[in-house]
PDB file of all heavy atoms in Angstrom:
ATOM      1  N   ALA U   1      55.797 -18.659  -7.906  1.00  0.00           N
ATOM      2  CA  ALA U   1      57.245 -19.248  -7.964  1.00  0.00           C
ATOM      3  C   ALA U   1      57.194 -20.587  -7.250  1.00  0.00           C
ATOM      4  O   ALA U   1      56.333 -20.945  -6.647  1.00  0.00           O
ATOM      5  CB  ALA U   1      58.196 -18.337  -7.244  1.00  0.00           C
ATOM      6  N   TRP U   2      58.304 -21.459  -7.610  1.00  0.00           N
ATOM      7  CA  TRP U   2      58.539 -22.650  -6.890  1.00  0.00           C
ATOM      8  C   TRP U   2      59.989 -22.877  -6.901  1.00  0.00           C
ATOM      9  O   TRP U   2      60.683 -22.362  -7.642  1.00  0.00           O
ATOM     10  CB  TRP U   2      57.645 -23.781  -7.480  1.00  0.00           C
ATOM     11  CG  TRP U   2      58.060 -24.215  -8.844  1.00  0.00           C
ATOM     12  CD1 TRP U   2      58.855 -25.230  -9.234  1.00  0.00           C
ATOM     13  CD2 TRP U   2      57.668 -23.626 -10.167  1.00  0.00           C
ATOM     14  NE1 TRP U   2      59.009 -25.412 -10.546  1.00  0.00           N
ATOM     15  CE2 TRP U   2      58.206 -24.344 -11.230  1.00  0.00           C
ATOM     16  CE3 TRP U   2      56.854 -22.571 -10.453  1.00  0.00           C
ATOM     17  CZ2 TRP U   2      58.065 -24.064 -12.535  1.00  0.00           C
ATOM     18  CZ3 TRP U   2      56.585 -22.233 -11.834  1.00  0.00           C
ATOM     19  CH2 TRP U   2      57.233 -23.075 -12.810  1.00  0.00           C
ATOM     20  N   ILE U   3      60.407 -23.834  -6.074  1.00  0.00           N
ATOM     21  CA  ILE U   3      61.811 -24.273  -5.937  1.00  0.00           C
ATOM     22  C   ILE U   3      61.915 -25.676  -6.277  1.00  0.00           C
ATOM     23  O   ILE U   3      61.163 -26.554  -5.705  1.00  0.00           O
ATOM     24  CB  ILE U   3      62.371 -23.923  -4.513  1.00  0.00           C
ATOM     25  CG1 ILE U   3      62.193 -22.405  -4.140  1.00  0.00           C
ATOM     26  CG2 ILE U   3      63.813 -24.359  -4.449  1.00  0.00           C
ATOM     27  CD1 ILE U   3      62.511 -22.050  -2.801  1.00  0.00           C
ATOM     28  N   GLU U   4      62.853 -26.118  -7.094  1.00  0.00           N
ATOM     29  CA  GLU U   4      63.159 -27.441  -7.434  1.00  0.00           C
ATOM     30  C   GLU U   4      64.499 -27.864  -6.964  1.00  0.00           C
ATOM     31  O   GLU U   4      65.400 -27.157  -6.944  1.00  0.00           O
ATOM     32  CB  GLU U   4      63.105 -27.671  -8.920  1.00  0.00           C
ATOM     33  CG  GLU U   4      61.795 -27.411  -9.548  1.00  0.00           C
ATOM     34  CD  GLU U   4      61.806 -27.452 -11.060  1.00  0.00           C
ATOM     35  OE1 GLU U   4      62.936 -27.563 -11.689  1.00  0.00           O
ATOM     36  OE2 GLU U   4      60.744 -27.409 -11.739  1.00  0.00           O
ATOM     37  N   ASN U   5      64.583 -29.106  -6.481  1.00  0.00           N
ATOM     38  CA  ASN U   5      65.840 -29.794  -6.043  1.00  0.00           C
ATOM     39  C   ASN U   5      66.511 -30.287  -7.405  1.00  0.00           C
ATOM     40  O   ASN U   5      65.893 -31.051  -8.158  1.00  0.00           O
ATOM     41  CB  ASN U   5      65.569 -30.909  -5.150  1.00  0.00           C
ATOM     42  CG  ASN U   5      66.895 -31.649  -4.712  1.00  0.00           C
ATOM     43  OD1 ASN U   5      67.709 -32.072  -5.537  1.00  0.00           O
ATOM     44  ND2 ASN U   5      67.087 -31.799  -3.410  1.00  0.00           N
ATOM     45  N   ASN U   6      67.706 -29.751  -7.660  1.00  0.00           N
ATOM     46  CA  ASN U   6      68.309 -29.963  -8.999  1.00  0.00           C
ATOM     47  C   ASN U   6      68.758 -31.594  -9.039  1.00  0.00           C
ATOM     48  O   ASN U   6      68.862 -32.099 -10.125  1.00  0.00           O
ATOM     49  CB  ASN U   6      69.609 -29.181  -9.175  1.00  0.00           C
ATOM     50  CG  ASN U   6      69.146 -27.766  -9.495  1.00  0.00           C
ATOM     51  OD1 ASN U   6      68.120 -27.505  -9.888  1.00  0.00           O
ATOM     52  ND2 ASN U   6      70.108 -26.887  -9.264  1.00  0.00           N
ATOM     53  N   GLN U   7      69.026 -32.184  -7.940  1.00  0.00           N
ATOM     54  CA  GLN U   7      69.466 -33.589  -7.900  1.00  0.00           C
ATOM     55  C   GLN U   7      68.251 -34.459  -8.258  1.00  0.00           C
ATOM     56  O   GLN U   7      68.298 -35.402  -9.029  1.00  0.00           O
ATOM     57  CB  GLN U   7      70.086 -33.967  -6.541  1.00  0.00           C
ATOM     58  CG  GLN U   7      70.672 -35.364  -6.674  1.00  0.00           C
ATOM     59  CD  GLN U   7      71.391 -35.731  -5.406  1.00  0.00           C
ATOM     60  OE1 GLN U   7      71.405 -34.982  -4.430  1.00  0.00           O
ATOM     61  NE2 GLN U   7      72.055 -36.872  -5.322  1.00  0.00           N
ATOM     62  N   THR U   8      67.125 -34.203  -7.692  1.00  0.00           N
ATOM     63  CA  THR U   8      65.909 -35.095  -7.820  1.00  0.00           C
ATOM     64  C   THR U   8      64.988 -34.578  -8.858  1.00  0.00           C
ATOM     65  O   THR U   8      64.078 -35.364  -9.266  1.00  0.00           O
ATOM     66  CB  THR U   8      65.224 -35.271  -6.477  1.00  0.00           C
ATOM     67  OG1 THR U   8      64.683 -34.004  -6.061  1.00  0.00           O
ATOM     68  CG2 THR U   8      66.137 -35.796  -5.391  1.00  0.00           C
ATOM     69  N   GLY U   9      64.997 -33.279  -9.153  1.00  0.00           N
ATOM     70  CA  GLY U   9      63.935 -32.731 -10.079  1.00  0.00           C
ATOM     71  C   GLY U   9      62.655 -32.423  -9.410  1.00  0.00           C
ATOM     72  O   GLY U   9      61.752 -31.947  -9.962  1.00  0.00           O
ATOM     73  N   ARG U  10      62.581 -32.720  -8.069  1.00  0.00           N
ATOM     74  CA  ARG U  10      61.267 -32.578  -7.348  1.00  0.00           C
ATOM     75  C   ARG U  10      61.153 -31.137  -6.892  1.00  0.00           C
ATOM     76  O   ARG U  10      62.063 -30.462  -6.417  1.00  0.00           O
ATOM     77  CB  ARG U  10      61.230 -33.542  -6.172  1.00  0.00           C
ATOM     78  CG  ARG U  10      61.173 -34.979  -6.635  1.00  0.00           C
ATOM     79  CD  ARG U  10      60.916 -35.925  -5.458  1.00  0.00           C
ATOM     80  NE  ARG U  10      60.699 -37.250  -5.943  1.00  0.00           N
ATOM     81  CZ  ARG U  10      60.749 -38.253  -5.202  1.00  0.00           C
ATOM     82  NH1 ARG U  10      60.926 -38.198  -3.814  1.00  0.00           N
ATOM     83  NH2 ARG U  10      60.528 -39.436  -5.694  1.00  0.00           N
ATOM     84  N   THR U  11      59.873 -30.734  -6.818  1.00  0.00           N
ATOM     85  CA  THR U  11      59.494 -29.463  -6.232  1.00  0.00           C
ATOM     86  C   THR U  11      59.575 -29.509  -4.742  1.00  0.00           C
ATOM     87  O   THR U  11      58.960 -30.497  -4.106  1.00  0.00           O
ATOM     88  CB  THR U  11      58.129 -29.018  -6.712  1.00  0.00           C
ATOM     89  OG1 THR U  11      58.074 -28.892  -8.149  1.00  0.00           O
ATOM     90  CG2 THR U  11      57.749 -27.702  -6.024  1.00  0.00           C
ATOM     91  N   VAL U  12      60.412 -28.615  -4.137  1.00  0.00           N
ATOM     92  CA  VAL U  12      60.445 -28.754  -2.574  1.00  0.00           C
ATOM     93  C   VAL U  12      59.774 -27.680  -1.925  1.00  0.00           C
ATOM     94  O   VAL U  12      59.530 -27.683  -0.727  1.00  0.00           O
ATOM     95  CB  VAL U  12      61.951 -28.689  -2.223  1.00  0.00           C
ATOM     96  CG1 VAL U  12      62.757 -29.873  -2.760  1.00  0.00           C
ATOM     97  CG2 VAL U  12      62.651 -27.458  -2.680  1.00  0.00           C
ATOM     98  N   TRP U  13      59.236 -26.656  -2.723  1.00  0.00           N
ATOM     99  CA  TRP U  13      58.500 -25.577  -2.140  1.00  0.00           C
ATOM    100  C   TRP U  13      57.723 -24.927  -3.404  1.00  0.00           C
ATOM    101  O   TRP U  13      58.255 -24.905  -4.493  1.00  0.00           O
ATOM    102  CB  TRP U  13      59.185 -24.511  -1.428  1.00  0.00           C
ATOM    103  CG  TRP U  13      58.307 -23.313  -1.040  1.00  0.00           C
ATOM    104  CD1 TRP U  13      57.552 -23.271   0.094  1.00  0.00           C
ATOM    105  CD2 TRP U  13      58.076 -22.193  -1.763  1.00  0.00           C
ATOM    106  NE1 TRP U  13      56.877 -22.212   0.179  1.00  0.00           N
ATOM    107  CE2 TRP U  13      57.193 -21.437  -1.052  1.00  0.00           C
ATOM    108  CE3 TRP U  13      58.412 -21.692  -2.971  1.00  0.00           C
ATOM    109  CZ2 TRP U  13      56.685 -20.144  -1.448  1.00  0.00           C
ATOM    110  CZ3 TRP U  13      58.005 -20.456  -3.367  1.00  0.00           C
ATOM    111  CH2 TRP U  13      57.041 -19.669  -2.632  1.00  0.00           C
ATOM    112  N   GLU U  14      56.412 -24.527  -3.190  1.00  0.00           N
ATOM    113  CA  GLU U  14      55.766 -23.808  -4.242  1.00  0.00           C
ATOM    114  C   GLU U  14      54.793 -22.792  -3.606  1.00  0.00           C
ATOM    115  O   GLU U  14      54.224 -22.977  -2.512  1.00  0.00           O
ATOM    116  CB  GLU U  14      55.080 -24.656  -5.170  1.00  0.00           C
ATOM    117  CG  GLU U  14      53.889 -25.461  -4.687  1.00  0.00           C
ATOM    118  CD  GLU U  14      53.232 -26.292  -5.705  1.00  0.00           C
ATOM    119  OE1 GLU U  14      52.802 -25.817  -6.891  1.00  0.00           O
ATOM    120  OE2 GLU U  14      53.018 -27.507  -5.492  1.00  0.00           O
ATOM    121  N   MET U  15      54.636 -21.716  -4.341  1.00  0.00           N
ATOM    122  CA  MET U  15      53.737 -20.642  -3.962  1.00  0.00           C
ATOM    123  C   MET U  15      52.334 -21.010  -4.322  1.00  0.00           C
ATOM    124  O   MET U  15      52.120 -21.417  -5.422  1.00  0.00           O
ATOM    125  CB  MET U  15      54.107 -19.352  -4.543  1.00  0.00           C
ATOM    126  CG  MET U  15      53.362 -18.123  -4.136  1.00  0.00           C
ATOM    127  SD  MET U  15      54.033 -16.754  -5.049  1.00  0.00           S
ATOM    128  CE  MET U  15      52.933 -15.483  -4.485  1.00  0.00           C
ATOM    129  N   THR U  16      51.427 -21.050  -3.369  1.00  0.00           N
ATOM    130  CA  THR U  16      49.988 -21.386  -3.575  1.00  0.00           C
ATOM    131  C   THR U  16      49.049 -20.366  -3.013  1.00  0.00           C
ATOM    132  O   THR U  16      49.542 -19.494  -2.232  1.00  0.00           O
ATOM    133  CB  THR U  16      49.689 -22.774  -2.980  1.00  0.00           C
ATOM    134  OG1 THR U  16      49.744 -22.694  -1.558  1.00  0.00           O
ATOM    135  CG2 THR U  16      50.616 -23.962  -3.430  1.00  0.00           C
ATOM    136  N   TRP U  17      47.868 -20.369  -3.426  1.00  0.00           N
ATOM    137  CA  TRP U  17      46.909 -19.481  -2.785  1.00  0.00           C
ATOM    138  C   TRP U  17      46.873 -19.622  -1.339  1.00  0.00           C
ATOM    139  O   TRP U  17      46.759 -18.586  -0.599  1.00  0.00           O
ATOM    140  CB  TRP U  17      45.584 -19.695  -3.427  1.00  0.00           C
ATOM    141  CG  TRP U  17      44.609 -18.519  -3.119  1.00  0.00           C
ATOM    142  CD1 TRP U  17      43.654 -18.602  -2.121  1.00  0.00           C
ATOM    143  CD2 TRP U  17      44.498 -17.327  -3.817  1.00  0.00           C
ATOM    144  NE1 TRP U  17      42.911 -17.355  -2.178  1.00  0.00           N
ATOM    145  CE2 TRP U  17      43.490 -16.615  -3.133  1.00  0.00           C
ATOM    146  CE3 TRP U  17      45.166 -16.690  -4.852  1.00  0.00           C
ATOM    147  CZ2 TRP U  17      43.102 -15.365  -3.575  1.00  0.00           C
ATOM    148  CZ3 TRP U  17      44.670 -15.441  -5.286  1.00  0.00           C
ATOM    149  CH2 TRP U  17      43.704 -14.826  -4.650  1.00  0.00           C
ATOM    150  N   ARG U  18      46.866 -20.821  -0.889  1.00  0.00           N
ATOM    151  CA  ARG U  18      46.767 -21.151   0.603  1.00  0.00           C
ATOM    152  C   ARG U  18      47.916 -20.541   1.455  1.00  0.00           C
ATOM    153  O   ARG U  18      47.761 -20.271   2.579  1.00  0.00           O
ATOM    154  CB  ARG U  18      46.535 -22.636   0.881  1.00  0.00           C
ATOM    155  CG  ARG U  18      45.220 -23.046   0.489  1.00  0.00           C
ATOM    156  CD  ARG U  18      45.035 -24.538   0.842  1.00  0.00           C
ATOM    157  NE  ARG U  18      43.651 -24.751   1.090  1.00  0.00           N
ATOM    158  CZ  ARG U  18      43.233 -25.842   1.575  1.00  0.00           C
ATOM    159  NH1 ARG U  18      44.053 -26.773   1.770  1.00  0.00           N
ATOM    160  NH2 ARG U  18      41.904 -25.997   1.762  1.00  0.00           N
ATOM    161  N   ASN U  19      49.159 -20.550   0.832  1.00  0.00           N
ATOM    162  CA  ASN U  19      50.306 -20.166   1.709  1.00  0.00           C
ATOM    163  C   ASN U  19      50.709 -18.706   1.458  1.00  0.00           C
ATOM    164  O   ASN U  19      51.795 -18.338   1.772  1.00  0.00           O
ATOM    165  CB  ASN U  19      51.502 -21.189   1.537  1.00  0.00           C
ATOM    166  CG  ASN U  19      52.170 -21.056   0.114  1.00  0.00           C
ATOM    167  OD1 ASN U  19      51.906 -20.150  -0.658  1.00  0.00           O
ATOM    168  ND2 ASN U  19      53.053 -22.030  -0.106  1.00  0.00           N
ATOM    169  N   THR U  20      49.834 -17.904   0.823  1.00  0.00           N
ATOM    170  CA  THR U  20      50.097 -16.543   0.607  1.00  0.00           C
ATOM    171  C   THR U  20      48.999 -15.674   1.231  1.00  0.00           C
ATOM    172  O   THR U  20      47.879 -16.199   1.708  1.00  0.00           O
ATOM    173  CB  THR U  20      50.077 -16.262  -0.870  1.00  0.00           C
ATOM    174  OG1 THR U  20      48.826 -16.612  -1.456  1.00  0.00           O
ATOM    175  CG2 THR U  20      51.159 -17.032  -1.642  1.00  0.00           C
ATOM    176  N   LEU U  21      49.281 -14.388   1.236  1.00  0.00           N
ATOM    177  CA  LEU U  21      48.359 -13.394   1.880  1.00  0.00           C
ATOM    178  C   LEU U  21      48.107 -12.226   0.767  1.00  0.00           C
ATOM    179  O   LEU U  21      48.890 -12.193  -0.109  1.00  0.00           O
ATOM    180  CB  LEU U  21      48.999 -12.787   3.066  1.00  0.00           C
ATOM    181  CG  LEU U  21      49.326 -13.649   4.304  1.00  0.00           C
ATOM    182  CD1 LEU U  21      50.125 -12.909   5.307  1.00  0.00           C
ATOM    183  CD2 LEU U  21      48.047 -14.219   4.855  1.00  0.00           C
ATOM    184  N   PRO U  22      47.164 -11.468   0.999  1.00  0.00           N
ATOM    185  CA  PRO U  22      46.925 -10.336   0.044  1.00  0.00           C
ATOM    186  C   PRO U  22      48.117  -9.504   0.109  1.00  0.00           C
ATOM    187  O   PRO U  22      48.648  -9.131   1.243  1.00  0.00           O
ATOM    188  CB  PRO U  22      45.615  -9.702   0.623  1.00  0.00           C
ATOM    189  CG  PRO U  22      44.894 -10.729   1.350  1.00  0.00           C
ATOM    190  CD  PRO U  22      46.025 -11.648   1.958  1.00  0.00           C
ATOM    191  N   ALA U  23      48.535  -9.036  -1.060  1.00  0.00           N
ATOM    192  CA  ALA U  23      49.739  -8.100  -1.168  1.00  0.00           C
ATOM    193  C   ALA U  23      49.303  -6.640  -1.284  1.00  0.00           C
ATOM    194  O   ALA U  23      50.153  -5.819  -1.549  1.00  0.00           O
ATOM    195  CB  ALA U  23      50.636  -8.583  -2.333  1.00  0.00           C
ATOM    196  N   GLY U  24      48.060  -6.314  -1.255  1.00  0.00           N
ATOM    197  CA  GLY U  24      47.670  -4.851  -1.492  1.00  0.00           C
ATOM    198  C   GLY U  24      47.299  -4.773  -2.977  1.00  0.00           C
ATOM    199  O   GLY U  24      47.699  -5.464  -3.810  1.00  0.00           O
ATOM    200  N   GLY U  25      46.499  -3.632  -3.238  1.00  0.00           N
ATOM    201  CA  GLY U  25      46.097  -3.453  -4.622  1.00  0.00           C
ATOM    202  C   GLY U  25      45.060  -4.417  -5.101  1.00  0.00           C
ATOM    203  O   GLY U  25      44.117  -4.763  -4.335  1.00  0.00           O
ATOM    204  N   ALA U  26      45.276  -4.814  -6.303  1.00  0.00           N
ATOM    205  CA  ALA U  26      44.170  -5.765  -6.850  1.00  0.00           C
ATOM    206  C   ALA U  26      44.202  -7.099  -6.118  1.00  0.00           C
ATOM    207  O   ALA U  26      45.228  -7.535  -5.460  1.00  0.00           O
ATOM    208  CB  ALA U  26      44.625  -6.172  -8.308  1.00  0.00           C
ATOM    209  N   SER U  27      43.059  -7.693  -6.052  1.00  0.00           N
ATOM    210  CA  SER U  27      42.870  -8.892  -5.229  1.00  0.00           C
ATOM    211  C   SER U  27      43.690 -10.016  -5.706  1.00  0.00           C
ATOM    212  O   SER U  27      43.982 -10.972  -4.954  1.00  0.00           O
ATOM    213  CB  SER U  27      41.375  -9.351  -5.165  1.00  0.00           C
ATOM    214  OG  SER U  27      40.934  -9.573  -6.531  1.00  0.00           O
ATOM    215  N   LYS U  28      44.136 -10.028  -6.970  1.00  0.00           N
ATOM    216  CA  LYS U  28      44.975 -11.058  -7.502  1.00  0.00           C
ATOM    217  C   LYS U  28      46.475 -10.969  -7.066  1.00  0.00           C
ATOM    218  O   LYS U  28      47.293 -11.919  -7.126  1.00  0.00           O
ATOM    219  CB  LYS U  28      44.961 -11.102  -8.971  1.00  0.00           C
ATOM    220  CG  LYS U  28      45.513  -9.923  -9.607  1.00  0.00           C
ATOM    221  CD  LYS U  28      45.385  -9.905 -11.169  1.00  0.00           C
ATOM    222  CE  LYS U  28      45.806  -8.719 -11.847  1.00  0.00           C
ATOM    223  NZ  LYS U  28      45.704  -8.872 -13.287  1.00  0.00           N
ATOM    224  N   ASN U  29      46.855  -9.910  -6.376  1.00  0.00           N
ATOM    225  CA  ASN U  29      48.082  -9.651  -5.876  1.00  0.00           C
ATOM    226  C   ASN U  29      48.358 -10.533  -4.585  1.00  0.00           C
ATOM    227  O   ASN U  29      47.609 -10.275  -3.569  1.00  0.00           O
ATOM    228  CB  ASN U  29      48.524  -8.181  -5.551  1.00  0.00           C
ATOM    229  CG  ASN U  29      48.380  -7.313  -6.770  1.00  0.00           C
ATOM    230  OD1 ASN U  29      48.599  -7.832  -7.844  1.00  0.00           O
ATOM    231  ND2 ASN U  29      48.225  -6.013  -6.594  1.00  0.00           N
ATOM    232  N   ARG U  30      49.251 -11.489  -4.552  1.00  0.00           N
ATOM    233  CA  ARG U  30      49.599 -12.348  -3.428  1.00  0.00           C
ATOM    234  C   ARG U  30      50.983 -12.174  -2.985  1.00  0.00           C
ATOM    235  O   ARG U  30      51.813 -11.884  -3.794  1.00  0.00           O
ATOM    236  CB  ARG U  30      49.237 -13.767  -3.801  1.00  0.00           C
ATOM    237  CG  ARG U  30      47.762 -14.091  -4.287  1.00  0.00           C
ATOM    238  CD  ARG U  30      46.697 -13.682  -3.363  1.00  0.00           C
ATOM    239  NE  ARG U  30      46.721 -14.682  -2.291  1.00  0.00           N
ATOM    240  CZ  ARG U  30      45.866 -14.620  -1.141  1.00  0.00           C
ATOM    241  NH1 ARG U  30      45.016 -13.555  -1.067  1.00  0.00           N
ATOM    242  NH2 ARG U  30      46.104 -15.459  -0.248  1.00  0.00           N
ATOM    243  N   LEU U  31      51.110 -12.402  -1.649  1.00  0.00           N
ATOM    244  CA  LEU U  31      52.499 -12.335  -1.112  1.00  0.00           C
ATOM    245  C   LEU U  31      52.804 -13.501  -0.097  1.00  0.00           C
ATOM    246  O   LEU U  31      51.945 -13.954   0.642  1.00  0.00           O
ATOM    247  CB  LEU U  31      52.451 -11.082  -0.214  1.00  0.00           C
ATOM    248  CG  LEU U  31      53.697 -10.874   0.719  1.00  0.00           C
ATOM    249  CD1 LEU U  31      54.834 -10.616   0.012  1.00  0.00           C
ATOM    250  CD2 LEU U  31      53.326  -9.767   1.689  1.00  0.00           C
ATOM    251  N   PHE U  32      53.937 -14.198  -0.387  1.00  0.00           N
ATOM    252  CA  PHE U  32      54.468 -15.193   0.520  1.00  0.00           C
ATOM    253  C   PHE U  32      55.525 -14.483   1.260  1.00  0.00           C
ATOM    254  O   PHE U  32      56.487 -14.109   0.682  1.00  0.00           O
ATOM    255  CB  PHE U  32      55.054 -16.464  -0.219  1.00  0.00           C
ATOM    256  CG  PHE U  32      55.633 -17.376   0.718  1.00  0.00           C
ATOM    257  CD1 PHE U  32      54.839 -18.309   1.373  1.00  0.00           C
ATOM    258  CD2 PHE U  32      56.950 -17.386   0.894  1.00  0.00           C
ATOM    259  CE1 PHE U  32      55.410 -19.277   2.264  1.00  0.00           C
ATOM    260  CE2 PHE U  32      57.492 -18.357   1.778  1.00  0.00           C
ATOM    261  CZ  PHE U  32      56.812 -19.268   2.439  1.00  0.00           C
ATOM    262  N   ASP U  33      55.392 -14.336   2.594  1.00  0.00           N
ATOM    263  CA  ASP U  33      56.381 -13.659   3.427  1.00  0.00           C
ATOM    264  C   ASP U  33      56.778 -14.511   4.568  1.00  0.00           C
ATOM    265  O   ASP U  33      56.301 -14.461   5.699  1.00  0.00           O
ATOM    266  CB  ASP U  33      55.762 -12.322   3.870  1.00  0.00           C
ATOM    267  CG  ASP U  33      56.803 -11.443   4.581  1.00  0.00           C
ATOM    268  OD1 ASP U  33      58.033 -11.609   4.399  1.00  0.00           O
ATOM    269  OD2 ASP U  33      56.413 -10.541   5.280  1.00  0.00           O
ATOM    270  N   ASP U  34      57.687 -15.398   4.345  1.00  0.00           N
ATOM    271  CA  ASP U  34      58.179 -16.391   5.300  1.00  0.00           C
ATOM    272  C   ASP U  34      59.514 -16.807   4.928  1.00  0.00           C
ATOM    273  O   ASP U  34      60.044 -16.410   3.864  1.00  0.00           O
ATOM    274  CB  ASP U  34      57.206 -17.544   5.446  1.00  0.00           C
ATOM    275  CG  ASP U  34      57.228 -18.170   6.705  1.00  0.00           C
ATOM    276  OD1 ASP U  34      58.139 -18.010   7.535  1.00  0.00           O
ATOM    277  OD2 ASP U  34      56.368 -19.010   6.974  1.00  0.00           O
ATOM    278  N   ILE U  35      60.110 -17.729   5.615  1.00  0.00           N
ATOM    279  CA  ILE U  35      61.456 -18.331   5.374  1.00  0.00           C
ATOM    280  C   ILE U  35      61.306 -19.729   4.968  1.00  0.00           C
ATOM    281  O   ILE U  35      60.532 -20.492   5.544  1.00  0.00           O
ATOM    282  CB  ILE U  35      62.343 -18.099   6.626  1.00  0.00           C
ATOM    283  CG1 ILE U  35      62.564 -16.739   6.969  1.00  0.00           C
ATOM    284  CG2 ILE U  35      63.602 -18.985   6.442  1.00  0.00           C
ATOM    285  CD1 ILE U  35      63.262 -16.543   8.333  1.00  0.00           C
ATOM    286  N   VAL U  36      61.944 -20.100   3.877  1.00  0.00           N
ATOM    287  CA  VAL U  36      61.981 -21.416   3.410  1.00  0.00           C
ATOM    288  C   VAL U  36      63.367 -22.032   3.629  1.00  0.00           C
ATOM    289  O   VAL U  36      64.330 -21.453   2.987  1.00  0.00           O
ATOM    290  CB  VAL U  36      61.602 -21.675   1.936  1.00  0.00           C
ATOM    291  CG1 VAL U  36      61.649 -23.038   1.378  1.00  0.00           C
ATOM    292  CG2 VAL U  36      60.246 -21.041   1.745  1.00  0.00           C
ATOM    293  N   LEU U  37      63.490 -22.844   4.600  1.00  0.00           N
ATOM    294  CA  LEU U  37      64.878 -23.342   4.946  1.00  0.00           C
ATOM    295  C   LEU U  37      65.065 -24.676   4.098  1.00  0.00           C
ATOM    296  O   LEU U  37      64.297 -25.587   4.265  1.00  0.00           O
ATOM    297  CB  LEU U  37      65.077 -23.592   6.424  1.00  0.00           C
ATOM    298  CG  LEU U  37      65.024 -22.424   7.330  1.00  0.00           C
ATOM    299  CD1 LEU U  37      65.121 -22.776   8.807  1.00  0.00           C
ATOM    300  CD2 LEU U  37      66.230 -21.490   6.946  1.00  0.00           C
ATOM    301  N   LEU U  38      66.177 -24.725   3.472  1.00  0.00           N
ATOM    302  CA  LEU U  38      66.506 -25.927   2.611  1.00  0.00           C
ATOM    303  C   LEU U  38      67.754 -26.569   3.142  1.00  0.00           C
ATOM    304  O   LEU U  38      68.675 -25.822   3.368  1.00  0.00           O
ATOM    305  CB  LEU U  38      66.555 -25.508   1.087  1.00  0.00           C
ATOM    306  CG  LEU U  38      65.314 -24.935   0.519  1.00  0.00           C
ATOM    307  CD1 LEU U  38      65.638 -24.380  -0.841  1.00  0.00           C
ATOM    308  CD2 LEU U  38      64.190 -25.934   0.417  1.00  0.00           C
ATOM    309  N   PRO U  39      67.920 -27.854   3.027  1.00  0.00           N
ATOM    310  CA  PRO U  39      69.166 -28.457   3.311  1.00  0.00           C
ATOM    311  C   PRO U  39      70.198 -28.127   2.270  1.00  0.00           C
ATOM    312  O   PRO U  39      69.883 -27.739   1.193  1.00  0.00           O
ATOM    313  CB  PRO U  39      68.925 -29.909   3.382  1.00  0.00           C
ATOM    314  CG  PRO U  39      67.612 -30.140   2.581  1.00  0.00           C
ATOM    315  CD  PRO U  39      66.925 -28.891   2.739  1.00  0.00           C
ATOM    316  N   PRO U  40      71.489 -28.204   2.608  1.00  0.00           N
ATOM    317  CA  PRO U  40      72.564 -27.982   1.518  1.00  0.00           C
ATOM    318  C   PRO U  40      72.231 -28.742   0.340  1.00  0.00           C
ATOM    319  O   PRO U  40      71.840 -29.891   0.421  1.00  0.00           O
ATOM    320  CB  PRO U  40      73.825 -28.441   2.279  1.00  0.00           C
ATOM    321  CG  PRO U  40      73.585 -28.283   3.755  1.00  0.00           C
ATOM    322  CD  PRO U  40      72.002 -28.703   3.889  1.00  0.00           C
ATOM    323  N   GLY U  41      72.483 -28.103  -0.861  1.00  0.00           N
ATOM    324  CA  GLY U  41      72.323 -28.812  -2.071  1.00  0.00           C
ATOM    325  C   GLY U  41      72.184 -27.738  -3.205  1.00  0.00           C
ATOM    326  O   GLY U  41      72.459 -26.648  -2.966  1.00  0.00           O
ATOM    327  N   SER U  42      71.757 -28.112  -4.358  1.00  0.00           N
ATOM    328  CA  SER U  42      71.603 -27.310  -5.476  1.00  0.00           C
ATOM    329  C   SER U  42      70.096 -27.210  -5.875  1.00  0.00           C
ATOM    330  O   SER U  42      69.383 -28.248  -6.023  1.00  0.00           O
ATOM    331  CB  SER U  42      72.409 -27.937  -6.686  1.00  0.00           C
ATOM    332  OG  SER U  42      72.332 -27.208  -7.838  1.00  0.00           O
TER     333      SER U  42
END
C-alpha cells in the first residue's frame, strides 16, 4: 500500500520491504505495524 496527498498527488508514505517485518506464514508475507501521522488534509 501507499498514501497519496490529494492536493499535490505526491506519495507521502509507502510500504516497502525495509519498513516491514515478517508477518508469519510464507516468507513473502510482510507487515507494517506502526503509526503514520499525517497533517490535516485529503
Side-chain angles (χ1 to χ4, degrees):
W2 68 96
I3 302 171
E4 295 175 355
N5 180 308
N6 289 340
Q7 186 174 6
T8 66
R10 291 188 175 164
T11 298
V12 296
W13 175 86
E14 70 180 304
M15 184 178 178
T16 66
W17 192 265
R18 287 185 151 184
N19 70 9
T20 60
L21 300 170
S27 62
K28 64 183 175 178
N29 296 338
R30 303 297 293 177
L31 169 70
F32 175 84
D33 187 17
D34 204 350
I35 296 171
V36 177
L37 293 175
L38 301 171
S42 177

